[in-house]
Amino acid sequence: MARGHAGKIAVVTGGANGIGQALAVRLAEEGVDIAVADLQPAEETVKRIEALGRRAGSLICDVSNPDDVGAFADFVARKFGQCDILVNNAGFYKTRRFEDISFADWRRTMAVNLDSMFLMTQAFIAGMRQRQWGRIVNIASNTLGSVAPNHVDYIASKGGVVGFTRALASEVGIDGITVNAVSPGLTRTPGTLEGQFRPRGLPIEEAFDLVSKTQAIKRHQTPDDLVGVVAFLTSDDAAFMSGQTLVVDGGLVRV
Ligand code: NAD
């Protein structure tokens, strides 16, 4: 067990499914109470966390909407009192040629993947500064360093996530707050498996087979492959590490 988790409160965005759900459950196993913000109901996540003996709560919230994020921050204050750990995980990806991305599509991707981090972090940073302790983990993507055609809006937004992480780390370290990013590789989640997502132009199972052959570790990535690194980054063991992006993708992309 990593140090410093006991009694902490974490906010996990997009925690109803996929990677966010796995991260929320793992932090609960480490002794953290969890608040989930998601567009979809997160009952399953909440039940799994409560079964571990931790407190959990969720609110329907579009993380790209300032009013929703404000209402979620009020919910966290009322139910949990504070947020010590913020995992900005909610994200959106869709396969489409650059010429087929409308300006409205582009703005939506930036809003969900990047504005969300600005809004959520602004909602919780003051309390972290006051308590002189905070952990922020932003979920980026290894596509930023790969050949991954037909996802220009997505990859540009994830470049923004890495820039946001690096820049914010420089301002908040003085108050005991670290900010890091984690870049997953292609991971088996509801979002990737839903059928319309075609990495490298391939049907999804073919894409998983192809991508896993190019990894150092030759198997399909699952959300559980990401939980250990986030448990570490949100603990006291990672207190001297900030502004970094850790690629967790079976050893495909090297940075
Ligand atoms: P997913 O689609 O399986 O789950 C995403 C969750 O976020 C869902 O519960 C969804 O309802 C929620 N969500 C989406 N838009 C939201 C919004 N506007 N407000 C609130 N909640 C919202 O996705 P996933 O594959 O688990 O991806 C999670 C994160 O990991 C994303 O940031 C994604 O870009 C990143 N990522 C995923 C992969 C992958 O292969 N799965 C690879 C690299 C990075």
Side-chain angles (χ1 to χ4, degrees):
M1 185 175 281
R3 291 176 199 177
H5 275 136
K8 295 287 195 309
I9 316 282
V11 162
V12 180
T13 71
N17 290 294
I19 292 169
Q21 183 180 61
L23 299 180
V25 171
R26 172 57 185 265
L27 288 177
E29 285 169 0
E30 298 284 343
V32 178
D33 293 337
I34 311 284
V36 172
D38 201 298
L39 274 182
Q40 298 177 36
E43 282 107 2
E44 188 192 314
T45 309
V46 167
K47 267 192 211 142
R48 288 178 61 186
I49 292 165
E50 286 175 346
L52 293 163
R54 304 309 321 168
R55 287 189 305 149
S58 67
L59 195 72
I60 300 290
C61 167
D62 178 347
V63 293
S64 68
N65 179 312
D67 293 338
D68 279 19
V69 173
F72 179 73
D74 289 345
F75 165 76
V76 172
R78 274 197 318 276
K79 185 167 169 82
F80 296 92
Q82 64 194 60
C83 164
D84 306 298
I85 296 168
L86 171 61
V87 181
N88 282 312
N89 161 80
F92 165 79
Y93 41 86
K94 191 164 178 181
T95 305
R96 45 200 171 188
R97 287 173 67 239
F98 175 67
E99 289 90 332
D100 296 333
I101 301 171
S102 69
F103 186 57
D105 294 333
W106 169 268
R107 288 294 329 137
R108 181 72 190 146
T109 305
M110 295 301 155
V112 175
N113 293 0
L114 193 51
D115 294 2
S116 60
M117 302 210 175
F118 170 83
L119 293 171
M120 277 287 165
T121 306
Q122 286 232 330
F124 295 112
I125 198 87
M128 291 181 188
R129 280 201 198 270
Q130 216 168 34
R131 293 183 295 278
Q132 294 283 292
W133 196 98
R135 294 285 181 273
I136 300 172
V137 176
N138 301 320
I139 303 300
S141 168
N142 80 338
T143 53
L144 187 57
S146 325
V147 176
N150 302 327
H151 297 94
V152 169
D153 54 335
Y154 176 74
I155 296 171
S157 74
K158 294 301 188 179
V161 170
V162 171
F164 175 72
T165 300
R166 291 180 180 179
L168 183 64
S170 307
E171 285 192 34
V172 298
I174 194 159
D175 287 318
I177 303 168
T178 68
V179 190
N180 291 288
V182 171
S183 284
L186 182 64
T187 305
R188 299 188 71 85
T189 65
T192 53
L193 295 170
E194 53 84 28
Q196 309 218 344
F197 180 57
R198 289 177 68 89
R200 308 206 186 185
L202 293 170
I204 190 65
E205 290 301 341
E206 283 178 42
F208 270 109
D209 288 344
L210 176 73
V211 168
S212 59
K213 280 187 193 123
T214 62
Q215 295 163 189
I217 300 161
K218 300 192 186 303
R219 62 169 173 76
H220 297 189
Q221 182 164 2
T222 70
D224 281 343
D225 290 317
L226 294 153
V227 300
V229 77
V230 173
F232 165 67
L233 286 174
T234 56
S235 74
D236 280 341
D237 289 336
F240 202 58
M241 185 170 173
S242 199
Q244 306 302 319
T245 300
L246 298 187
V247 182
V248 182
D249 67 352
L252 195 160
V253 169
R254 316 291 163 88
V255 292

